[in-house]
Amino acid sequence: MGMGRSGTARGRVVLLGTMLWVLSGFVSPAGVVHGAVYSGTVAAERGAAVNVMKAGQAGIVQKESKGQWSQPAAADPVPQIISRVSPSVVGIIGKAGGETGGPDDRYNLTHGSGIIVRADGWIITNAHVMAGLEKAVVVTSDGTSYNITDTYSDEFSDLALVKIKAKALKPATFAGSAANLQVGEKVIAIGTPISFSLRNSATVGVISGLNRSVDAAYRLIQSDTAINPGNSGGPLVNMKGEVLGVNSMKFAAVGVENMGFSIPADTVKYIMNQLLQYGEVRRPSLGVELEESWPVIVGLPGQEPLTVTKVLTAEARKAGITAGDALYAIDGHRVTSLVDVNELFRQYKPGAVVKLLMQSDGDIVARSLVLGQGDPLVSAAKTEEETDDQTTE
């Protein structure tokens, strides 16, 4: 949780005699002319025709061939996007907690990355970046250091919101719903890998997968951007310069390469709004423990229901739910995994009433349940299975 150009030949631009803005310089084999802009009269040569597409700082002249106009190579937008987004990315560094003092204690530091979300000093990062971090300092892209005054963490989403005393910071722009993302879409990861001196490093890749359930309470975005220790909390950015997600973890094992995961922007905004409003995340809860089916646990497709393994609250017992019951749907939404429930419950608040489609003692029944407040559902089986090969960054 990495970033070509062909040879050229000297030549002359030709056009029937007229006064136009054209380019001087060199002509590529494709007929595209590069160089400085000047105003002048251009003569005809060998009957070739050229089209002056645009005059200005970087005009382009194209050569016609058999009625077909060649297309100029588009400028790579990546450098401009990195330049535009980097002022919204910070480094976070502090002393690793729980360590005793010593002669080299001043080097016992740990760091991560963060994203400015409000001009007045609010920054989103990962909860694991802030966990146990002492005397933490935020460093912005211009090299200014700020002490952290407030920290609000949510370990289940692995997100934390921190506050510094600053004004006129540049907040990042977050993308809308992850529903519009596509596998293969080009993305950029920005952060502080390995060394704090490498702040605002950028790597480029593509989205490798969507809706991944990887030891997390919510679905994640998978990408092949190079993500290393210290990148945690930094942004995954699209070609519009929008933050698609917060880089959080990757698989790290022998033979495993470029498998990073990011928390989607819509989940980030949900958690961030709750932390800003309450200082905590107030999630609705079914008041039961649920177990996923074997196909879901191992990643096979299937529509098997969730199984109730334990009833925890009076509201759930009042609704008639008992251990062994099977849960098929909530308010008409089919749920087959714990992440399905957590994702759905971003739309609800504690105290809401939901309709459950369940199977009890062999009968399909509908139950009405008042949602309580509690932690999200997390699969213990998946956690144990993936811990060995997955690491936060």
Side-chain angles (χ1 to χ4, degrees), residues 293 295-296 300-306 327-328 333-337 340:
S293 66
V296 168
L300 292 172
Q303 293 297 314
E304 286 84 354
L306 293 161
L327 174 63
Y328 284 89
H333 299 277
R334 189 69 182 266
V335 289
T336 61
S337 69
D340 285 346

Side-chain angles (χ1 to χ4, degrees), residues 199-239:
R199 295 187 304 279
N200 290 83
S201 293
T203 60
V204 179
V206 298
I207 293 176
S208 306
L210 299 168
N211 300 320
R212 300 307 200 198
S213 299
V214 183
D215 189 24
Y218 300 96
R219 297 190 181 101
L220 303 175
I221 300 169
Q222 179 187 344
S223 77
D224 71 347
T225 53
I227 297 176
N228 295 288
N231 275 114
S232 281
L236 187 71
V237 182
N238 64 15
M239 291 299 101

Side-chain angles (χ1 to χ4, degrees), residues 31-186:
V32 179
V33 184
H34 312 259
V37 177
Y38 76 97
S39 177
T41 301
V42 187
E45 177 177 300
R46 297 180 185 174
V50 289
N51 176 31
V52 180
M53 298 296 292
K54 182 180 179 181
Q57 292 182 344
I60 298 174
V61 180
Q62 295 178 300
K63 186 174 181 179
E64 184 180 19
S65 175
K66 297 181 181 180
Q68 298 292 325
W69 293 101
S70 62
Q71 296 296 321
D76 187 353
V78 171
Q80 289 74 28
I81 293 170
I82 294 171
S83 177
R84 190 165 73 247
V85 176
S86 286
S88 302
V89 183
V90 304
I92 302 173
I93 189 169
K95 184 178 180 298
E99 300 291 338
T100 58
D104 293 325
D105 190 52
R106 64 188 185 280
Y107 298 116
N108 183 32
L109 303 172
T110 186
H111 74 270
S113 307
I115 308 167
I116 298 170
V117 294
R118 289 194 175 183
D120 60 352
W122 286 104
I123 295 164
I124 196 77
T125 185
N126 286 134
H128 74 260
V129 169
M130 301 308 299
L133 197 63
E134 299 176 357
K135 300 180 180 179
V137 173
V138 168
V139 180
T140 54
S141 63
D142 63 1
T144 305
S145 298
Y146 300 89
N147 292 324
I148 294 176
T149 60
D150 297 287
T151 302
Y152 303 97
S153 290
D154 178 61
E155 62 177 307
F156 294 103
S157 64
D158 192 25
L159 289 170
L161 195 64
V162 302
K163 181 71 168 65
I164 60 176
K165 289 183 178 180
K167 295 180 179 180
L169 298 178
K170 182 181 179 182
T173 300
F174 281 76
S177 174
N180 298 321
L181 299 182
Q182 293 183 320
V183 173
E185 200 174 319
K186 197 173 184 178

